[in-house]
Structures are given as C-alpha cells and as structure tokens.
C-alpha cells in the first residue's frame, strides 16, 4: 500500500516526500490498541492509510469518550511537537498506517515547509471541527449527531463500512445504547444505511450529506451540496406571474 493514500503525504511535493519516505515504516494497527496515553511523549507519528484512531478523554470515574477521530486525512501525534499528549490515542478501526520516529521528523521538518504547513492546517481544521462538535452535542438530536459522526468516519476510511456494535458506538459517543439503536433504526428505515451484527454500512452517503446538520461542514475542505428548491426551476418563476 502506498504511503500516499494518506492525504498529507499525497499532497507533498516530491522533494519533501523523498526526504520522508525512506523513514516511513508500514505497521498494522489493531482495534483497541493504544498508541500512547495521556501524559506520554509520543515516540512516533502515525500516518493512517486505513486505520482510524480515536482521540479519547478518560475521566477519573472510568468514563471515556471519543472527542475526535483521526484517519487518512491527517496524522496522529501532533502533540509530540508541543509537549506531553493531552489525550489517549486508541485505535478504533483496524488497518494500516505508516509511522516515523518523532526524533527523525523533527530533524526533517525544517526542510519540509509544505508538510509543516499542511500539518498545522490539519490541526486547525481538527480544532474547528472539535469546537463545532461541542455545539452539535448541545443543540442537535442524537440522529443528527450520528449522521455527522458517520460522515466524519467515512472521510477517514477507505470503505463505507463502520465495524462497531451499537454498544461500542454508545460508549464512544457517551449516549445510551437505546438512543443509538433508535437513531440507527430511523436511518435504516429511510434506506440510508444497512445495519448488521457489528457493522454499519452507509449505502446512500448523498442522502446523509443532504440531511446532516451544518456542524459536519465546519472545517471541511469541500463544499456543502446545494439543496435545490422547486422554485429554482425557471418554470416556477413563470407560474408565479400567471
């Protein structure tokens, strides 16, 4: 698998990619694996090409919640350049990633200004999306939040399938299992998704994008599709003047 499946690496100029590529080590990340813990100084930075990694916040009472997810559009380990990690990096979906030692990347970054800028832009988008997620959790229904969460997941994976049970989704997002089951059931009734044991398959992404709240589009590099009204057609204006 090419490292350039990862979007940060894909957009590097050849001069910078050739500096980094010899130091990239392909690794398989397993579901449930912790790449580093809160308070750790990460030793490696990861460029996912198929795996999805959750940014987990752990509470003293044992409760944990996923606050963000990282995949092939970004890298895991931004925190290594600022100090100890403020989160636990937990592999949510098994898959491949390329890793490079932080010490090596620190040495190469002064010669890779495009990579440095892209990584900071990626971090900025993550902060914008994370901030909007707080708003979404307070103002939108579980169903709307599920749509946003599923679309963000698909943005970070290669397949339209999310391998998680209802209970796992509930634990990650901090909802009751019954609420997750109800929301998924409504989406399945509309034909947007197919739910099987341990998997959620998105079969109509366009429908989800058309119905998801604006929170999903905050920080995106793509444009929200325009919802066409019956008044957009010239014949509608003609009817108005009859």
């Amino acid at each position: 698998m090419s490292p350039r499946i990862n979007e940060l690496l894909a957009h590097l100029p050849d001069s910078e990619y050739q500096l980094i590529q010899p130091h990239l080590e392909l690794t398989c990340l397993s579901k449930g694996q912790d790449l580093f813990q809160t308070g750790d100084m990460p030793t490696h930075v990861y460029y996912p090409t198929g795996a999805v990694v959750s940014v987990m916040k752990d509470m003293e009472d044992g409760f944990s919640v996923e606050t963000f997810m990282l995949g092939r559009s970004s890298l895991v380990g931004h925190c290594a350049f600022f100090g100890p990690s403020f989160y636990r990096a937990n592999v949510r979906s098994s898959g491949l990633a390329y890793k490079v030692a932080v010490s090596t990347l620190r040495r190469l970054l002064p010669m890779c200004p495009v990579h440095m800028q892209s990584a900071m832009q990626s971090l900025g988008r993550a902060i914008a999306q994370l901030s909007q997620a707080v708003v979404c959790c307070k103002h939108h229904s579980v169903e709307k939040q599920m749509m946003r969460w599923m679309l963000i997941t698909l943005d970070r994976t290669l397949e339209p399938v999310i391998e998680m049970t209802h209970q796992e989704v509930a634990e990650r997002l901090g909802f009751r299992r019954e609420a997750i089951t109800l929301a998924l059931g409504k989406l399945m009734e509309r034909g947007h998704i197919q739910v099987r044991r341990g998997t959620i398959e998105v079969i109509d992404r366009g429908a989800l994008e058309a119905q998801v709240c604006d929170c999903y589009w905050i920080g995106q590099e793509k444009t929200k599709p325009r919802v066409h009204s019956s008044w957009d057609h010239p014949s509608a204006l003609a009817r108005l003047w009859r």
Side-chain angles (χ1 to χ4, degrees), residues 36-75:
F36 47 83
Q37 300 279 346
T38 303
D40 286 352
M41 287 293 293
T43 59
H44 290 81
V45 167
Y46 297 81
Y47 298 87
T49 54
V52 177
V53 178
S54 294
V55 174
M56 301 295 296
K57 294 297 291 183
D58 302 318
M59 307 296 289
E60 291 185 0
D61 61 2
F63 179 77
S64 298
V65 66
E66 176 188 86
T67 60
F68 198 67
M69 64 186 89
L70 301 165
R72 64 188 181 92
S73 61
S74 185
L75 59 83

Side-chain angles (χ1 to χ4, degrees), residues 99-111:
K99 67 178 183 179
V100 60
V102 170
S103 58
T104 298
L105 198 56
R106 283 183 184 277
R107 176 170 54 84
L108 296 177
L109 278 182
M111 297 177 282

